[in-house]
Amino acid sequence: MYLTQEQLLIYKNQGYILLSEYLSLTEVEILKAELSALSTENSPKRILEKDGSTVRSLHGLHTENDVFNSLTRHPFIVEPAMQIVDNQVYIYQFKVNLKAAFTGDIWKWHQDYIYWRKEDGMPRPQVVNAMCLLDDMNEFNGPLFLIPGSHKEKMIDITANPRVTNTKSDKSGDNPAWISSFSANLKYSLSQELVADLVSKYGITFIKAAAGSVLFFDSNIVHASSNNISPFGRSTVIITYNSIENIPLQIQNPRPDFLVSKDYRPVTPLAPDALSQFSGVKL
Ligand code: SIN
Ligand code: MN
């Protein structure tokens, strides 16, 4: 399902496009059922909140789970990604952010591309995020905040925040260096002054949309989310598609494969009903 020229223009101008109720409720149910089984598994791919027990994120599930793998190849998602990136794409990153009811923590103001550039050596921001909502996102449950148009500032080259975080990855023992890209204490978060300037220049918005909606957003758009003190969970899957001609350069100490995939094979879209066929199937 390709975007119209008008939708592409919206994406280019504001740095994001929201496709409301884009996946079916059957597909959402399939994904949520799968997620509840997986989030209890103890693994280094599972990141916990500061409390040491709430699951914050799950990484790289698409490599080991057929349901999430089908989501990454859903034509409704891959085809717009290819259009936006203007090339064939591979999966650069796959994560589920759970933002649990009552306890889900914040994501500070940041741009994504600075991480991919500085931590992984990605040459250009020829990459796009597809955020798939598995729950309704609203004013109560820590919705995604965006500064529309802020992607036009390109990568804002800030120095890394040296603060240590106490977020833990299961079984990791001491925190590995990469954890500071996934905890509430983000490594390249923007200063309050900078965010205030950008908001006075571009304004601010937040995403309010039903489960099944998909948000495509630019790797340089400034975004954040507050904590979730509501009784409503706010889980999303974020799939990052990179151009097959934008493969990261060789760097020292690359991040683990489950965070930054080294599988550069182009994603081929499946049939539109491939994911819904898992309905009622016990895997
Ligand atoms: C992110 O920036 O990757 C996540 C933001 C969110 O889940 O609110
Ligand atoms: Mn981000």
Side-chain angles (χ1 to χ4, degrees), residues 40-52:
T40 57
E41 282 174 20
N42 204 4
S43 142
K45 303 177 183 181
R46 193 171 81 155
I47 312 287
L48 302 179
E49 299 284 13
K50 286 199 287 284
D51 63 12

mmCIF file with all atom_site columns, all heavy atoms in Angstrom, residues 40-52:
data_model
loop_
_atom_site.group_PDB
_atom_site.id
_atom_site.type_symbol
_atom_site.label_atom_id
_atom_site.label_alt_id
_atom_site.label_comp_id
_atom_site.label_asym_id
_atom_site.label_entity_id
_atom_site.label_seq_id
_atom_site.pdbx_PDB_ins_code
_atom_site.Cartn_x
_atom_site.Cartn_y
_atom_site.Cartn_z
_atom_site.occupancy
_atom_site.B_iso_or_equiv
_atom_site.pdbx_formal_charge
_atom_site.auth_seq_id
_atom_site.auth_comp_id
_atom_site.auth_asym_id
_atom_site.auth_atom_id
_atom_site.pdbx_PDB_model_num
ATOM 1   N N   . THR A 1 40 ? 7.652  -12.001 29.010 1.00 0.00 ? 40 THR A N   1
ATOM 2   C CA  . THR A 1 40 ? 8.023  -12.652 30.272 1.00 0.00 ? 40 THR A CA  1
ATOM 3   C C   . THR A 1 40 ? 9.358  -13.396 30.138 1.00 0.00 ? 40 THR A C   1
ATOM 4   O O   . THR A 1 40 ? 9.891  -13.902 31.113 1.00 0.00 ? 40 THR A O   1
ATOM 5   C CB  . THR A 1 40 ? 6.937  -13.656 30.710 1.00 0.00 ? 40 THR A CB  1
ATOM 6   O OG1 . THR A 1 40 ? 6.761  -14.608 29.654 1.00 0.00 ? 40 THR A OG1 1
ATOM 7   C CG2 . THR A 1 40 ? 5.615  -12.972 30.986 1.00 0.00 ? 40 THR A CG2 1
ATOM 8   N N   . GLU A 1 41 ? 9.887  -13.472 28.917 1.00 0.00 ? 41 GLU A N   1
ATOM 9   C CA  . GLU A 1 41 ? 11.138 -14.222 28.724 1.00 0.00 ? 41 GLU A CA  1
ATOM 10  C C   . GLU A 1 41 ? 12.348 -13.393 29.145 1.00 0.00 ? 41 GLU A C   1
ATOM 11  O O   . GLU A 1 41 ? 12.521 -12.262 28.707 1.00 0.00 ? 41 GLU A O   1
ATOM 12  C CB  . GLU A 1 41 ? 11.294 -14.618 27.244 1.00 0.00 ? 41 GLU A CB  1
ATOM 13  C CG  . GLU A 1 41 ? 10.440 -15.794 26.870 1.00 0.00 ? 41 GLU A CG  1
ATOM 14  C CD  . GLU A 1 41 ? 10.469 -16.107 25.371 1.00 0.00 ? 41 GLU A CD  1
ATOM 15  O OE1 . GLU A 1 41 ? 11.424 -15.672 24.688 1.00 0.00 ? 41 GLU A OE1 1
ATOM 16  O OE2 . GLU A 1 41 ? 9.528  -16.767 24.912 1.00 0.00 ? 41 GLU A OE2 1
ATOM 17  N N   . ASN A 1 42 ? 13.168 -13.994 29.978 1.00 0.00 ? 42 ASN A N   1
ATOM 18  C CA  . ASN A 1 42 ? 14.366 -13.327 30.469 1.00 0.00 ? 42 ASN A CA  1
ATOM 19  C C   . ASN A 1 42 ? 15.456 -13.374 29.389 1.00 0.00 ? 42 ASN A C   1
ATOM 20  O O   . ASN A 1 42 ? 15.816 -14.445 28.932 1.00 0.00 ? 42 ASN A O   1
ATOM 21  C CB  . ASN A 1 42 ? 14.817 -14.109 31.705 1.00 0.00 ? 42 ASN A CB  1
ATOM 22  C CG  . ASN A 1 42 ? 15.640 -13.266 32.614 1.00 0.00 ? 42 ASN A CG  1
ATOM 23  O OD1 . ASN A 1 42 ? 15.819 -12.080 32.379 1.00 0.00 ? 42 ASN A OD1 1
ATOM 24  N ND2 . ASN A 1 42 ? 16.139 -13.874 33.670 1.00 0.00 ? 42 ASN A ND2 1
ATOM 25  N N   . SER A 1 43 ? 15.953 -12.220 28.968 1.00 0.00 ? 43 SER A N   1
ATOM 26  C CA  . SER A 1 43 ? 16.935 -12.231 27.880 1.00 0.00 ? 43 SER A CA  1
ATOM 27  C C   . SER A 1 43 ? 17.671 -10.899 27.865 1.00 0.00 ? 43 SER A C   1
ATOM 28  O O   . SER A 1 43 ? 17.112 -9.884  28.291 1.00 0.00 ? 43 SER A O   1
ATOM 29  C CB  . SER A 1 43 ? 16.164 -12.432 26.568 1.00 0.00 ? 43 SER A CB  1
ATOM 30  O OG  . SER A 1 43 ? 16.705 -11.670 25.533 1.00 0.00 ? 43 SER A OG  1
ATOM 31  N N   . PRO A 1 44 ? 18.902 -10.880 27.348 1.00 0.00 ? 44 PRO A N   1
ATOM 32  C CA  . PRO A 1 44 ? 19.603 -9.582  27.250 1.00 0.00 ? 44 PRO A CA  1
ATOM 33  C C   . PRO A 1 44 ? 18.906 -8.609  26.313 1.00 0.00 ? 44 PRO A C   1
ATOM 34  O O   . PRO A 1 44 ? 19.163 -7.405  26.340 1.00 0.00 ? 44 PRO A O   1
ATOM 35  C CB  . PRO A 1 44 ? 20.989 -9.949  26.707 1.00 0.00 ? 44 PRO A CB  1
ATOM 36  C CG  . PRO A 1 44 ? 20.990 -11.393 26.452 1.00 0.00 ? 44 PRO A CG  1
ATOM 37  C CD  . PRO A 1 44 ? 19.688 -12.004 26.881 1.00 0.00 ? 44 PRO A CD  1
ATOM 38  N N   . LYS A 1 45 ? 18.002 -9.122  25.472 1.00 0.00 ? 45 LYS A N   1
ATOM 39  C CA  . LYS A 1 45 ? 17.278 -8.251  24.537 1.00 0.00 ? 45 LYS A CA  1
ATOM 40  C C   . LYS A 1 45 ? 16.128 -7.520  25.223 1.00 0.00 ? 45 LYS A C   1
ATOM 41  O O   . LYS A 1 45 ? 15.410 -6.763  24.596 1.00 0.00 ? 45 LYS A O   1
ATOM 42  C CB  . LYS A 1 45 ? 16.692 -9.087  23.392 1.00 0.00 ? 45 LYS A CB  1
ATOM 43  C CG  . LYS A 1 45 ? 17.747 -9.869  22.646 1.00 0.00 ? 45 LYS A CG  1
ATOM 44  C CD  . LYS A 1 45 ? 17.101 -10.707 21.587 1.00 0.00 ? 45 LYS A CD  1
ATOM 45  C CE  . LYS A 1 45 ? 18.151 -11.558 20.881 1.00 0.00 ? 45 LYS A CE  1
ATOM 46  N NZ  . LYS A 1 45 ? 17.589 -12.374 19.841 1.00 0.00 ? 45 LYS A NZ  1
ATOM 47  N N   . ARG A 1 46 ? 15.938 -7.821  26.498 1.00 0.00 ? 46 ARG A N   1
ATOM 48  C CA  . ARG A 1 46 ? 14.843 -7.213  27.243 1.00 0.00 ? 46 ARG A CA  1
ATOM 49  C C   . ARG A 1 46 ? 15.422 -6.134  28.147 1.00 0.00 ? 46 ARG A C   1
ATOM 50  O O   . ARG A 1 46 ? 16.288 -6.408  28.974 1.00 0.00 ? 46 ARG A O   1
ATOM 51  C CB  . ARG A 1 46 ? 14.179 -8.316  28.074 1.00 0.00 ? 46 ARG A CB  1
ATOM 52  C CG  . ARG A 1 46 ? 12.860 -7.928  28.652 1.00 0.00 ? 46 ARG A CG  1
ATOM 53  C CD  . ARG A 1 46 ? 12.181 -9.126  29.266 1.00 0.00 ? 46 ARG A CD  1
ATOM 54  N NE  . ARG A 1 46 ? 12.704 -9.399  30.598 1.00 0.00 ? 46 ARG A NE  1
ATOM 55  C CZ  . ARG A 1 46 ? 12.007 -10.041 31.534 1.00 0.00 ? 46 ARG A CZ  1
ATOM 56  N NH1 . ARG A 1 46 ? 10.801 -10.483 31.283 1.00 0.00 ? 46 ARG A NH1 1
ATOM 57  N NH2 . ARG A 1 46 ? 12.533 -10.257 32.715 1.00 0.00 ? 46 ARG A NH2 1
ATOM 58  N N   . ILE A 1 47 ? 14.949 -4.915  28.003 1.00 0.00 ? 47 ILE A N   1
ATOM 59  C CA  . ILE A 1 47 ? 15.435 -3.792  28.812 1.00 0.00 ? 47 ILE A CA  1
ATOM 60  C C   . ILE A 1 47 ? 14.369 -3.481  29.866 1.00 0.00 ? 47 ILE A C   1
ATOM 61  O O   . ILE A 1 47 ? 13.191 -3.397  29.532 1.00 0.00 ? 47 ILE A O   1
ATOM 62  C CB  . ILE A 1 47 ? 15.643 -2.516  27.955 1.00 0.00 ? 47 ILE A CB  1
ATOM 63  C CG1 . ILE A 1 47 ? 16.438 -2.810  26.677 1.00 0.00 ? 47 ILE A CG1 1
ATOM 64  C CG2 . ILE A 1 47 ? 16.273 -1.390  28.755 1.00 0.00 ? 47 ILE A CG2 1
ATOM 65  C CD1 . ILE A 1 47 ? 17.879 -3.075  26.853 1.00 0.00 ? 47 ILE A CD1 1
ATOM 66  N N   . LEU A 1 48 ? 14.828 -3.308  31.102 1.00 0.00 ? 48 LEU A N   1
ATOM 67  C CA  . LEU A 1 48 ? 13.888 -3.021  32.182 1.00 0.00 ? 48 LEU A CA  1
ATOM 68  C C   . LEU A 1 48 ? 13.886 -1.539  32.521 1.00 0.00 ? 48 LEU A C   1
ATOM 69  O O   . LEU A 1 48 ? 14.854 -0.824  32.246 1.00 0.00 ? 48 LEU A O   1
ATOM 70  C CB  . LEU A 1 48 ? 14.268 -3.827  33.427 1.00 0.00 ? 48 LEU A CB  1
ATOM 71  C CG  . LEU A 1 48 ? 14.317 -5.352  33.244 1.00 0.00 ? 48 LEU A CG  1
ATOM 72  C CD1 . LEU A 1 48 ? 14.740 -6.029  34.557 1.00 0.00 ? 48 LEU A CD1 1
ATOM 73  C CD2 . LEU A 1 48 ? 12.976 -5.909  32.784 1.00 0.00 ? 48 LEU A CD2 1
ATOM 74  N N   . GLU A 1 49 ? 12.803 -1.097  33.147 1.00 0.00 ? 49 GLU A N   1
ATOM 75  C CA  . GLU A 1 49 ? 12.745 0.272   33.648 1.00 0.00 ? 49 GLU A CA  1
ATOM 76  C C   . GLU A 1 49 ? 13.638 0.378   34.897 1.00 0.00 ? 49 GLU A C   1
ATOM 77  O O   . GLU A 1 49 ? 14.141 -0.624  35.412 1.00 0.00 ? 49 GLU A O   1
ATOM 78  C CB  . GLU A 1 49 ? 11.298 0.643   34.018 1.00 0.00 ? 49 GLU A CB  1
ATOM 79  C CG  . GLU A 1 49 ? 10.305 0.593   32.863 1.00 0.00 ? 49 GLU A CG  1
ATOM 80  C CD  . GLU A 1 49 ? 10.416 1.798   31.905 1.00 0.00 ? 49 GLU A CD  1
ATOM 81  O OE1 . GLU A 1 49 ? 11.407 2.545   31.971 1.00 0.00 ? 49 GLU A OE1 1
ATOM 82  O OE2 . GLU A 1 49 ? 9.498  1.942   31.080 1.00 0.00 ? 49 GLU A OE2 1
ATOM 83  N N   . LYS A 1 50 ? 13.761 1.609   35.400 1.00 0.00 ? 50 LYS A N   1
ATOM 84  C CA  . LYS A 1 50 ? 14.618 1.857   36.569 1.00 0.00 ? 50 LYS A CA  1
ATOM 85  C C   . LYS A 1 50 ? 14.211 1.024   37.790 1.00 0.00 ? 50 LYS A C   1
ATOM 86  O O   . LYS A 1 50 ? 15.029 0.713   38.635 1.00 0.00 ? 50 LYS A O   1
ATOM 87  C CB  . LYS A 1 50 ? 14.552 3.335   36.950 1.00 0.00 ? 50 LYS A CB  1
ATOM 88  C CG  . LYS A 1 50 ? 15.308 4.241   35.997 1.00 0.00 ? 50 LYS A CG  1
ATOM 89  C CD  . LYS A 1 50 ? 15.602 5.594   36.629 1.00 0.00 ? 50 LYS A CD  1
ATOM 90  C CE  . LYS A 1 50 ? 14.391 6.494   36.756 1.00 0.00 ? 50 LYS A CE  1
ATOM 91  N NZ  . LYS A 1 50 ? 13.948 7.129   35.520 1.00 0.00 ? 50 LYS A NZ  1
ATOM 92  N N   . ASP A 1 51 ? 12.911 0.667   37.865 1.00 0.00 ? 51 ASP A N   1
ATOM 93  C CA  . ASP A 1 51 ? 12.460 -0.107  39.027 1.00 0.00 ? 51 ASP A CA  1
ATOM 94  C C   . ASP A 1 51 ? 13.013 -1.527  39.033 1.00 0.00 ? 51 ASP A C   1
ATOM 95  O O   . ASP A 1 51 ? 12.854 -2.269  39.997 1.00 0.00 ? 51 ASP A O   1
ATOM 96  C CB  . ASP A 1 51 ? 10.921 -0.122  39.107 1.00 0.00 ? 51 ASP A CB  1
ATOM 97  C CG  . ASP A 1 51 ? 10.260 -0.811  37.908 1.00 0.00 ? 51 ASP A CG  1
ATOM 98  O OD1 . ASP A 1 51 ? 10.952 -1.477  37.128 1.00 0.00 ? 51 ASP A OD1 1
ATOM 99  O OD2 . ASP A 1 51 ? 9.028  -0.672  37.746 1.00 0.00 ? 51 ASP A OD2 1
ATOM 100 N N   . GLY A 1 52 ? 13.651 -1.926  37.939 1.00 0.00 ? 52 GLY A N   1
ATOM 101 C CA  . GLY A 1 52 ? 14.287 -3.251  37.879 1.00 0.00 ? 52 GLY A CA  1
ATOM 102 C C   . GLY A 1 52 ? 13.309 -4.395  37.624 1.00 0.00 ? 52 GLY A C   1
ATOM 103 O O   . GLY A 1 52 ? 13.726 -5.549  37.566 1.00 0.00 ? 52 GLY A O   1
#
